[in-house]
Amino acid sequence: MNFSAKWQSFISCANDVDGERYPSDCEHIDENIDLEENKDADSRLILDTCCDCMGDCNNESFQIETCACRDIFGSFPYNKDGTLNTEHCMRLPIVECGPACSCSSSCINRLSQRGITADLQLFKHPFKGWGVRCTKDIPMGRFICQYAGEIISREEATRRRMLRHATTQNYIMNVREHVSNQTYLTLIDPTNRGNVGRYLNHSCAPNLSRHVVRLVGVAVPKVCFFTSRHLEAGEELCFDYADIFAEQHVCPSNASTDSTAATTQFTKCFCGTSSCKGYLPCDPSAY
């Protein structure tokens, strides 16, 4: 099925490489599709505290000390200008107000829920395929997009991996959250259904940082990307693919491109940075 029309209504595309005007191999979605929604609730992490604030939780016109969502960790993850509160995010998780909270949809603590506001464009690269770039400058700490896809089980991830052709890119992102003595695993697969986050390419010197975002009362976490430095118009947006895996494995930079291992197991990196390691990160045992 060709999904170009839906992408065309969502984002601009530029392609000087071939005749493909828009991505045709993936259905565009705005939010995760939970294929595990009937999973045992005890095996999923749900924060059940919700606030009863009116308007914006970070509004000085009332006592924000009463905000239950803020009190989970003692501070808000976002500044009033909509950028990351780096002091918070370097040591604490991001928890946003959820569906049961009484604050408004414009509350600063619902930042990721308002969707993409940055000026982005999909573009075709001769070696990488589709990528994402900004068409206007973006300051440091700005929300770019989430990594939306199908939420699948470990068994389904393994099945899909076995069916995938050896030369096909693996898009499944592995998210592990450690709470007390328990680990919660979330697998996001945008291969067939995803958003613009699916087309973010790897860089060994990334300009995006990845953060897990929890909504109060929601079982499935979001994976969201924020700018890690100021970006100028025309720059490609990239993150480190090692963040996808539970364990980080990077092929040695001196591996021979003619070796059987390099050509069959590893994908060459085209990030073009001075710190390029030569090959994309990989982890055959990620699930």
Side-chain angles (χ1 to χ4, degrees):
M1 183 178 293
N2 190 308
F3 298 110
S4 296
K6 196 166 184 180
W7 282 101
Q8 186 172 355
S9 65
F10 173 74
I11 192 171
S12 67
C13 293
N15 185 354
D16 298 324
V17 177
D18 54 36
E20 188 179 20
R21 296 182 58 193
Y22 290 85
S24 58
D25 58 346
C26 175
E27 178 183 357
H28 177 267
I29 57 175
D30 292 315
E31 296 289 341
N32 289 322
I33 297 175
D34 189 6
L35 301 184
E36 291 285 283
E37 60 182 348
N38 295 322
K39 190 174 182 179
D40 182 5
D42 291 338
S43 64
R44 313 194 89 171
L45 175 62
I46 300 178
L47 303 175
D48 55 7
T49 301
C50 60
C51 71
D52 55 4
C53 303
M54 301 301 293
D56 189 338
C57 291
N58 201 10
N59 191 327
E60 294 179 349
S61 64
F62 64 92
Q63 293 182 340
I64 61 174
E65 287 80 5
T66 62
C67 178
C69 296
R70 176 185 183 271
D71 289 345
I72 294 175
F73 292 113
S75 60
F76 287 112
Y78 308 120
N79 300 313
K80 292 182 180 180
D81 64 356
T83 58
L84 275 180
N85 177 349
T86 53
E87 183 178 351
H88 174 107
C89 296
M90 286 180 63
R91 58 188 179 85
L92 296 169
I94 296 177
V95 176
E96 292 189 356
C97 299
C101 294
S102 61
C103 56
S104 70
S105 59
S106 61
C107 174
I108 192 60
N109 202 39
R110 295 183 183 271
L111 183 66
S112 73
Q113 300 168 53
R114 291 195 287 276
I116 298 172
T117 58
D119 293 285
L120 307 179
Q121 182 184 62
L122 288 173
F123 75 100
K124 199 68 170 288
H125 188 280
F127 304 116
K128 303 179 190 177
W130 289 105
V132 184
R133 62 189 175 196
C134 56
T135 57
K136 294 181 180 179
D137 290 7
I138 305 177
M140 177 180 174
R142 285 288 184 184
F143 171 70
I144 295 300
C145 67
Q146 71 166 308
Y147 194 82
E150 296 176 325
I151 304 301
I152 58 176
S153 66
R154 184 194 299 265
E155 294 73 23
E156 176 63 13
T158 301
R159 187 189 73 83
R160 293 186 181 190
R161 178 184 163 196
M162 297 296 293
L163 292 174
R164 192 178 70 244
H165 191 273
T167 59
T168 302
Q169 175 68 43
N170 173 33
Y171 294 99
I172 300 176
M173 182 173 286
N174 187 325
V175 181
R176 276 186 165 87
E177 298 170 282
H178 304 281
V179 180
S180 298
N181 295 322
Q182 189 166 353
T183 299
Y184 297 90
L185 173 67
T186 303
L187 295 168
I188 308 173
D189 184 9
T191 303
N192 299 315
R193 293 190 285 185
N195 71 337
V196 67
R198 179 188 191 273
Y199 297 102
L200 292 171
N201 284 315
H202 165 81
S203 176
C204 298
N207 51 28
L208 299 181
S209 60
R210 188 190 82 144
H211 294 268
V212 176
V213 176
R214 276 280 174 182
L215 272 60
V216 171
V218 177
V220 178
K222 292 184 176 184
V223 171
C224 295
F225 295 101
F226 296 80
T227 53
S228 55
R229 61 171 175 79
H230 176 86
L231 301 184
E232 296 184 356
E235 279 197 67
E236 182 177 7
L237 280 61
C238 301
F239 73 102
D240 188 344
Y241 278 13
D243 286 344
I244 293 178
F245 307 120
E247 299 178 9
Q248 299 181 8
H249 297 266
V250 178
C251 305
S253 57
N254 60 352
S256 170
T257 55
D258 295 328
S259 69
T260 301
T263 55
T264 59
Q265 297 181 34
F266 307 138
T267 302
K268 189 173 181 179
C269 179
F270 293 101
C271 72
T273 64
S274 59
S275 57
C276 181
K277 299 177 177 66
Y279 294 89
L280 300 187
C282 57
D283 184 2
S285 60
Y287 316 131

